[in-house]
Amino acid sequence: MHTNHKNKFIIVGDLNLPSINWTNLSSPADDVHDKFVQFVIDNSLLQYVHSPTRMNNILDLVLCNDNHILHDLCVTTPLANSDHASVCCDFSLPPTIKNDATTSFLMYDYRNTDYEAFNNYLIQVDWGYVFSTCLSAIDFWECFVDILNKGVELFVPVKKVSRLKKSFYPANIKKMLVRKSALWRAFKTKKTQCAEEKYKKCTADCSEAISAYYRSKEADIVNSNNIGSFYKYVNNCLSHKGRIPSLKRADGSMANTDMEKAELLQQKFKSVFITDNCCNPVMDRLVNSKVHLSDVDFTSELVFKSLSTIKCNSACGPDRMSPRLLFMLRQTLSVPLSLVFGALFRESVLPSQWLEAIISPIFKKGLTSDPNNYRPISLTCIACRAMEKIIKDVIVKYLFDHKLINRSQHGFLARHSTVSQLLECTNDWTISMASRKVTDCVYVDFKRAFDVVSHQKLLTKLTAYGIDGLLFEWISSFLSNRMQFVSVNYILSKPCTVTSGVPQGSVLGPLLFLIFINDVCDIAIGTVFTKLFADDLKIYTEVAVNSGSSDLQDCLSRLHEWATKWQMDIAFDKCHIITYGNRQHTDLVNYNIDSHLLPHVDVIRDLGVNMDHSLTFSSHCRIICSKANARANLILRCFRTKCVDVLLRAFKVYVRPLVEYASPIWSPRLTCDIDMLERVQRRFTKRLPGLYRLSYVDRLQQLNLDSLESRRIKTDLLLCFKIMYGFIDIDRDELFIVDCDRVTRGHDLRIRRQHTVINARLFHFSQRVIKHWNTLSHEQVHSSSISAFKRSIKNLSTRSC
């Protein structure tokens, strides 16, 4: 059975399949369980029952292909004499919207703007004369906006946009659809065989014409090499998410209209804000009294560089200024904007619209009717973000020049990533395992960390880091008097005052949060280590078997003191502990935070990678394969074209990243896991038109593809090259023993293999990559750049599955 990806359906019943693990979609390899799991994957279904329905088994299932339909599912007491529990749920469908004037609006078409004429218009403006009459920095901004808006009215065309999603067919298809409707009415009236045959023939012609239209459209998108258009089209094909469904209030009533939903979500997002407790901690200055950062120079060159990083396809902010407009006119606008930014900085003020944010609620997981399951995504003004980028670059350089950012932090920083953090962690853990020791690791979660930052306490920390003068005053204004609106289907809620938190959606916000949380690493003393990725905190220490660590418990106590001092709430129910190494379950040692006992787990999701206590990563392989197979099947069903190039590009963009994210961390060592991963690409390529009868190796050669195993090896080599030459902020001496002075065959950057008998260490990146790295030539390892190294290993001969 295969379903149309646009149809929404629910499957319920007692399917009597107790051996399926619905967490990672694993099952016994038989003709019943295995085939049903494959059916679920092929049709992109979600299974919603996670509690036993008979004894300790989940036998009664509810499956659906759209998580916006089902909500409030619960398992309750059996009905009558049944020995199965009752499964109750509500479902809702998107409301029907009438096609009236309120469903469309006019907007400027910045894609079809005459930017050459617009640019000539701006060149003729004497900005020095215009700004000479300004009495304040806000006047500078308003004069700039007035002139820009006049240009918009002159050179930017207007188009009508519908709030409803429609399919706009060309004229010939519209005529065929009109004729089809007429033939249907004639058939219903006459009910003759001739009328029926005419209607059926017209229906077939319509279907073929529509299919041909979409095939042509898909081919044009691929041939245009516009990755933005390609992403948008594939997202529309793959996404089942529509309008936000009805939301349940605390009293059980439902919010049905867009305004009601926006207001309800606004109240939810507002509830997480905190009020400063007026207990401002004393923090010692971290730099010499002569070291400080107080000024930022806004040159036209820096403004041009900042505008050049704008993403044209971004949405307009509260000021409705187009990112594409600023990007296309960046050469001409860099001079007046440098004057505007300089005036705003000197007076430490921001235009009122720069302090506003439009919040788009994004569904996470769980019940779609629960407002708690939506996270806010902020949209701020693009001109403000351009100014923030210049300020951010200056602050980042200052912090790194004076070594103020803790080395444990890997989030939002250049030359750092989730891979760099996980690589350092797993290196420590496998070394411990090789020494016949174990590592107790505590994963700490902060409640709404970005939203609860106290502004006053953040400013205290900025002072301790030596940020003062005009820069301090501007950041203080940047944090103050902020407002937010929640948008649901273009309907805005009433404004809400933002009393805490760093501005999400801004450029400076993440950096300010890093400064705020930076000193949490000071709680680690002695043999205890911390690792951070933004607010994701790990605390771990090596311990001997059958013993705990008092140092780790003391560190957790200091963590609670730090969180209380700086008004950061810890989500105790989301904090877990895992022991990496060969320790029996009965030997696990208990730890607590503020008397809250931390639960032990065997598998935990760490920055997108599922870590098990023995670091085999088999569970991670199963989970990502399930997701990748579901996505691959969805692509083959939702694309109308049979063009191999289109389908293959969709696979590369939307499926392959699922099975390659952070692969240097979890690259499998078991043959069954390697084959399971390879099967994702093997099955997809076999289903491409004209390739069914070819072997996998021949298909890869014809499609110019590498096997997934080969790509993982090349990814390992690329990461090794980056570490060797400092493109990633990881000390290579912590990972490798490089025989620079040793006379051997091959190149002069050979890595010495370390003796180990523990599989987790033997197959860790630092040991696994040695075999392939040492076989490279001198010219390859001494490539002049990353791109040159990539080219040098492009045709590297590796084992293909």
Side-chain angles (χ1 to χ4, degrees):
M1 172 183 175
H2 285 284
T3 59
N4 187 312
H5 75 283
K6 292 186 178 180
N7 293 333
K8 297 175 174 55
F9 57 91
I10 304 172
I11 299 174
V12 298
D14 176 12
L15 300 184
N16 199 26
L17 298 172
S19 300
I20 297 178
N21 184 331
W22 290 106
T23 301
N24 54 26
L25 283 180
S26 61
S27 67
D30 55 34
D31 290 336
V32 179
H33 291 80
D34 191 53
K35 284 189 175 181
F36 187 78
V37 168
Q38 195 57 53
F39 163 78
V40 171
I41 293 173
D42 289 346
N43 291 280
S44 305
L45 299 175
L46 298 173
Q47 205 287 112
Y48 287 84
V49 181
H50 299 293
S51 301
T53 59
R54 184 179 184 273
M55 300 178 67
N56 293 323
N57 299 316
I58 300 177
L59 302 182
D60 303 274
L61 306 179
V62 177
L63 301 107
C64 183
N65 68 337
D66 188 337
N67 57 15
H68 279 60
I69 292 180
L70 285 173
H71 55 88
D72 291 354
L73 185 143
C74 61
V75 177
T76 62
T77 56
L79 289 175
N81 296 326
S82 174
D83 59 349
H84 287 247
S86 301
V87 179
C88 303
C89 65
D90 294 332
F91 69 93
S92 58
L93 298 176
T96 302
I97 307 174
K98 296 181 179 180
N99 188 14
D100 54 25
T102 62
T103 63
S104 61
F105 56 92
L106 297 177
M107 67 178 296
Y108 289 109
D109 184 6
Y110 291 101
R111 288 183 178 272
N112 297 311
T113 298
D114 186 354
Y115 286 107
E116 183 177 355
F118 204 145
N119 192 63
N120 292 332
Y121 159 77
L122 292 173
I123 290 175
Q124 298 174 8
V125 177
D126 185 349
W127 293 103
Y129 174 77
V130 170
F131 291 145
S132 64
T133 60
C134 296
L135 301 177
S136 67
I138 299 299
D139 291 340
F140 272 73
W141 170 249
E142 291 177 350
C143 285
F144 172 81
V145 171
D146 287 342
I147 292 175
L148 198 62
N149 286 340
K150 289 178 182 178
V152 169
E153 293 176 1
L154 290 172
F155 303 106
V156 181
V158 176
K159 63 179 180 180
K160 188 175 183 179
V161 178
S162 175
R163 292 178 179 172
L164 302 176
K165 291 185 178 180
K166 294 182 179 180
S167 296
F168 294 96
Y169 295 123
N172 64 315
I173 295 181
K174 290 181 179 179
K175 290 180 181 179
M176 294 177 70
L177 292 173
V178 171
R179 175 170 169 74
K180 175 185 171 183
S181 299
L183 290 174
W184 169 253
R185 290 192 296 271
F187 167 64
K188 293 296 287 182
T189 302
K190 300 177 181 179
K191 295 184 179 180
T192 62
Q193 184 176 358
C194 180
E196 182 181 6
E197 290 176 354
K198 286 183 179 181
Y199 170 71
K200 288 183 177 180
K201 183 178 184 306
C202 185
T203 299
D205 292 342
C206 281
S207 298
E208 177 56 31
I210 291 173
S211 296
Y213 165 73
Y214 279 110
R215 289 195 297 268
S216 175
K217 182 178 179 181
E218 291 165 354
D220 290 342
I221 289 173
V222 171
N223 294 332
S224 68
N225 276 331
N226 186 331
I227 191 65
S229 299
F230 181 79
Y231 270 112
K232 183 177 180 181
Y233 181 78
V234 177
N235 276 327
N236 288 336
C237 289
L238 299 184
S239 176
H240 291 300
K241 296 179 181 179
R243 295 160 54 89
I244 292 179
S246 298
L247 300 176
K248 179 173 286 189
R249 299 186 181 92
D251 61 2
S253 62
M254 303 298 291
N256 298 312
T257 67
D258 291 335
M259 177 58 76
E260 290 176 341
K261 298 173 194 175
E263 290 294 342
L264 181 59
L265 290 168
Q266 176 75 291
Q267 292 300 317
K268 171 57 189 172
F269 298 150
K270 178 183 177 181
S271 66
V272 302
F273 296 145
I274 65 167
T275 302
D276 187 83
N277 58 13
C278 298
C279 297
N280 208 21
V282 177
M283 187 170 181
D284 295 335
R285 189 177 176 87
L286 302 177
V287 293
N288 188 287
S289 58
K290 295 181 180 179
V291 175
H292 65 98
L293 178 63
S294 60
D295 199 10
V296 177
D297 189 15
F298 296 93
T299 65
S300 58
E301 292 78 10
L302 289 175
V303 174
F304 175 79
K305 181 180 177 182
S306 179
L307 295 178
S308 298
T309 63
I310 292 175
K311 295 181 180 180
C312 293
N313 293 328
S314 301
C316 298
D319 59 355
R320 310 310 302 167
M321 189 172 289
S322 167
R324 182 179 296 275
L325 182 69
L326 293 183
F327 177 82
M328 297 299 294
L329 301 175
R330 61 192 183 280
Q331 186 71 55
T332 311
L333 295 179
S334 58
V335 171
L337 274 178
S338 67
L339 299 174
V340 173
F341 291 167
L344 293 171
F345 185 79
R346 287 189 300 272
E347 294 187 18
S348 300
V349 296
L350 289 86
S352 59
Q353 288 182 319
W354 287 18
L355 299 173
E356 297 176 356
I358 297 176
I359 307 296
S360 297
I362 302 298
F363 176 70
K364 297 182 293 183
K365 59 182 179 180
L367 300 176
T368 57
S369 61
D370 187 355
N372 295 305
N373 293 332
Y374 291 82
R375 60 185 175 93
I377 299 295
S378 300
L379 184 63
T380 56
C381 296
I382 188 65
C384 183
R385 295 205 295 271
M387 184 176 179
E388 289 176 65
K389 186 172 190 314
I390 298 173
I391 296 174
K392 175 201 168 187
D393 291 343
V394 173
I395 297 177
V396 168
K397 184 178 184 304
Y398 167 80
L399 294 174
F400 274 99
D401 286 348
H402 296 91
K403 297 180 174 56
L404 294 174
I405 293 294
N406 196 293
R407 289 198 73 255
S408 297
Q409 178 63 264
H410 289 255
F412 305 125
L413 297 172
R415 302 192 305 135
H416 296 76
S417 65
T418 55
V419 171
S420 66
Q421 197 233 58
L422 292 172
L423 190 57
E424 289 183 352
C425 292
T426 53
N427 186 57
D428 291 343
W429 301 338
T430 54
I431 289 175
S432 176
M433 295 168 72
S435 301
R436 305 293 181 179
K437 296 182 180 180
V438 296
T439 301
D440 285 341
C441 181
V442 178
Y443 288 79
V444 179
D445 185 270
F446 293 102
K447 292 181 181 178
R448 300 278 188 175
F450 283 78
D451 294 321
V452 299
V453 172
S454 165
H455 293 164
Q456 187 57 47
K457 290 178 173 59
L458 173 58
L459 294 174
T460 297
K461 293 197 173 188
L462 291 178
T463 302
Y465 283 86
I467 296 175
D468 54 21
L470 290 176
L471 179 56
F472 178 88
E473 295 298 330
W474 190 90
I475 293 176
S476 179
S477 298
F478 175 74
L479 295 171
S480 305
N481 303 315
R482 300 195 69 89
M483 306 290 289
Q484 70 177 31
F485 305 81
V486 173
S487 173
V488 175
N489 195 36
Y490 303 100
I491 301 299
L492 295 180
S493 68
K494 295 177 182 178
C496 162
T497 302
V498 179
T499 60
S500 66
V502 294
Q504 297 190 50
S506 65
V507 176
L508 266 181
L511 178 59
L512 294 175
F513 181 81
L514 295 190
I515 294 173
F516 184 81
I517 203 172
N518 188 54
D519 63 313
V520 72
C521 299
D522 296 340
I523 64 174
I525 301 175
T527 60
V528 180
F529 299 92
T530 59
K531 294 294 180 184
L532 274 169
F533 191 88
D535 63 321
D536 290 323
L537 174 63
K538 288 194 287 281
I539 308 172
Y540 62 89
T541 187
E542 181 184 271
V543 297
V545 178
N546 299 322
S547 66
S549 171
S550 58
D551 289 343
L552 181 56
Q553 182 57 63
D554 291 343
C555 182
L556 296 177
S557 299
R558 289 191 294 272
L559 171 66
H560 179 254
E561 293 173 2
W562 180 91
T564 303
K565 177 180 178 181
W566 297 104
Q567 284 189 267
M568 293 284 285
D569 291 335
I570 298 174
F572 298 108
D573 58 326
K574 295 182 180 179
C575 296
H576 299 89
I577 183 168
I578 185 170
T579 299
Y580 293 110
N582 298 321
R583 170 181 280 184
Q584 297 298 322
H585 185 73
T586 54
D587 297 326
L588 297 178
V589 177
N590 293 325
Y591 298 92
N592 68 82
I593 302 177
D594 189 31
S595 301
H596 292 269
L597 189 64
L598 302 180
H600 286 270
V601 294
D602 291 326
V603 180
I604 195 165
R605 187 170 178 83
D606 188 353
L607 299 181
V609 178
N610 295 278
M611 300 279 191
D612 58 81
H613 65 91
S614 57
L615 297 180
T616 61
F617 299 107
S618 291
S619 61
H620 179 73
C621 292
R622 287 195 299 270
I623 291 171
I624 62 175
C625 283
S626 297
K627 293 179 180 179
N629 282 322
R631 180 63 60 87
N633 289 317
L634 196 56
I635 286 175
L636 289 170
R637 292 205 324 275
C638 73
F639 274 74
R640 297 173 184 255
T641 183
K642 299 303 178 183
C643 176
V644 172
D645 290 340
V646 176
L647 296 174
L648 187 60
R649 187 167 183 182
F651 176 82
K652 291 178 179 179
V653 172
Y654 282 90
V655 179
R656 210 161 59 182
L658 293 176
V659 293
E660 292 185 339
Y661 165 72
S663 64
I665 307 302
W666 55 263
S667 188
R669 61 177 185 256
L670 300 178
T671 302
C672 60
D673 292 337
I674 295 173
D675 291 341
M676 178 172 56
L677 286 163
E678 202 66 43
R679 202 176 300 128
V680 174
Q681 183 167 274
R682 186 192 299 271
R683 291 184 63 208
F684 183 86
T685 55
K686 191 172 185 176
R687 296 169 68 183
L688 293 177
L691 301 180
Y692 177 79
R693 298 185 181 278
L694 297 180
S695 68
Y696 182 48
V697 174
D698 291 338
R699 293 199 299 273
L700 294 181
Q701 185 175 0
Q702 182 165 329
L703 296 171
N704 194 26
L705 287 176
D706 287 328
S707 68
L708 295 182
E709 183 183 12
S710 174
R711 287 178 59 83
R712 289 195 297 273
I713 292 173
K714 292 177 182 179
T715 301
D716 283 354
L717 289 172
L718 181 60
L719 179 59
C720 186
F721 179 83
K722 291 178 179 179
I723 294 172
M724 285 289 184
Y725 289 96
F727 292 106
I728 291 181
D729 194 9
I730 295 178
D731 186 356
R732 78 176 190 183
D733 294 333
E734 293 182 1
L735 293 176
F736 309 125
I737 300 175
V738 182
D739 290 333
C740 296
D741 301 326
R742 194 174 171 189
V743 179
T744 60
R745 292 182 180 180
H747 55 80
D748 57 352
L749 290 178
R750 291 173 62 88
I751 304 172
R752 187 188 309 170
R753 184 178 293 277
Q754 304 168 37
H755 175 72
T756 181
V757 295
I758 301 297
N759 282 337
R761 184 61 185 170
L762 185 63
F763 291 94
H764 183 260
F765 166 81
S766 61
Q767 305 302 308
R768 183 182 68 240
V769 76
I770 295 176
K771 171 185 174 182
H772 301 286
W773 176 262
N774 286 348
T775 59
L776 296 179
S777 67
H778 179 85
E779 291 74 17
Q780 287 175 312
V781 299
H782 289 286
S783 297
S784 58
S785 64
I786 294 176
S787 58
F789 181 77
K790 284 182 180 178
R791 290 193 298 270
S792 73
I793 64 173
K794 182 178 181 180
N795 297 319
L796 185 69
S797 177
T798 56
R799 171 178 172 263
S800 296
C801 296

